[in-house]
């Protein structure tokens, strides 16, 4: 098992937990929770594979499905949804940060393996990381996190660029992949903690309407 495989498994489990928590927060039934978890965990990868003309890996291999359902079983067994609201929020943010960093890396590596240019690598990193979350949020009638959150999609873009540059320099190895993963997680969590955001038009629009 390669470091990329481990990161992919970690990201799948983390996104499954975030989907589980969203489904619980929306008071969905069992099937609804399973669907939100599956969409979050494998939706981005399916979109990525469709973009490059591949049959989605989840249709060919069962490892991602096993990870998702094992994670859901563990979440239900330990009743993580019964924790205090602050704990649930923290769990969601941490799980989402892990999934975001992990899938940004795996998506970018698919682009590198296909010898895509910088734009292609970044797009695959971005779609793999945020595609599932977008599908989940639309399904439960929420504004997707990428449109309103502090440095969310930007983390995927940064990781995609770094993977491309490191691959061109011949520096893709276990150490750099793990460093990117940890750095991506820390960047997302730090942005959430200190409310770092890209420039927006909210204040300008509010001033225009006043």
């Amino acid at each position: 098992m390669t470091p990329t495989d481990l990161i992919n498994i970690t990201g799948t489990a983390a996104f499954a937990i975030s989907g589980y928590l969203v489904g619980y927060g929306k008071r969905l039934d069992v099937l609804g929770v399973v669907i939100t978890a599956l969409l979050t965990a494998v939706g981005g990868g399916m979109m990525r594979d469709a973009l490059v003309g591949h049959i989605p890996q989840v249709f060919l291999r069962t490892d991602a499905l096993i990870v998702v359902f094992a994670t859901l079983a563990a979440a239900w067994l330990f009743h993580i949804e019964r924790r205090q609201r602050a704990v649930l929020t923290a769990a969601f943010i941490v799980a989402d940060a892990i999934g975001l960093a992990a899938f940004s890396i795996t998506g970018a590596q698919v682009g590198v393996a296909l010898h895509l240019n910088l734009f292609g690598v970044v797009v695959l990193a971005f779609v793999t990381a945020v595609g599932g979350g977008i599908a989940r949020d639309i399904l439960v009638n929420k504004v997707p996190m990428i449109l309103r959150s502090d440095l969310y999609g930007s983390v995927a873009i940064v990781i995609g660029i770094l993977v491309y540059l490191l691959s061109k320099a011949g520096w893709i190895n276990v150490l750099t992949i793990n460093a990117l993963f940890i750095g991506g997680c820390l960047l997302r969590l730090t942005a959430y903690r200190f409310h770092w955001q890209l420039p927006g038009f909210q204040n300008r629009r509010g001033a225009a309407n006043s």
Side-chain angles (χ1 to χ4, degrees):
M1 183 175 292
T2 67
T4 301
D5 292 332
L6 290 174
I7 287 176
N8 196 43
I9 290 171
T10 302
T12 301
F15 267 173
I17 290 175
S18 71
Y20 176 90
L21 293 174
V22 169
Y24 171 77
K26 288 292 184 177
R27 299 294 189 269
L28 304 183
D29 61 15
V30 173
L31 179 60
V33 170
V34 170
I35 290 173
T36 55
L38 275 172
L39 267 181
T40 311
V42 304
M46 293 175 67
M47 294 178 191
R48 175 202 65 216
D49 290 340
L51 276 176
V52 297
H54 291 169
I55 297 174
Q57 287 298 304
V58 70
F59 293 165
L60 301 173
R61 300 171 56 184
T62 59
D63 48 349
L65 297 176
I66 292 172
V67 170
V68 170
F69 284 104
T71 302
L72 290 178
W76 176 81
L77 182 64
F78 291 104
H79 299 292
I80 64 172
E81 73 280 358
R82 295 182 182 177
R83 310 298 177 184
Q84 294 181 352
R85 185 176 181 84
V87 175
L88 289 179
T89 300
F92 175 81
I93 294 299
V94 170
D96 213 54
I98 292 172
L100 176 68
F103 283 167
S104 297
I105 292 171
T106 57
Q109 288 188 303
V110 169
V112 168
L114 293 173
H115 305 290
L116 303 185
N117 62 14
L118 175 60
F119 180 72
V121 171
V122 170
V123 167
L124 293 191
F126 186 83
V127 169
T128 308
V130 307
I134 290 175
R136 173 202 67 207
D137 290 343
I138 292 174
L139 185 68
V140 298
N141 198 29
K142 288 176 58 180
V143 177
M145 185 178 294
I146 187 176
L147 300 180
R148 57 184 169 81
S149 183
D150 33 7
L151 294 189
Y152 190 77
S154 307
V155 175
I157 292 173
V158 169
I159 291 177
I161 292 172
L162 291 176
V163 169
Y164 178 84
L165 295 177
L166 288 172
S167 69
K168 287 298 182 182
W171 293 345
I172 288 292
N173 52 53
V174 175
L175 181 61
T176 55
I177 289 296
N178 287 334
L180 283 175
F181 175 63
I182 294 171
C185 291
L186 291 177
L187 178 59
R188 169 66 186 128
L189 294 174
T190 303
Y192 177 81
R193 171 65 178 82
F194 294 104
H195 306 290
W196 293 348
Q197 293 184 341
L198 295 176
F201 299 98
Q202 293 83 355
N203 293 335
R204 190 177 304 173
R205 185 166 58 246
N209 292 334
S210 61

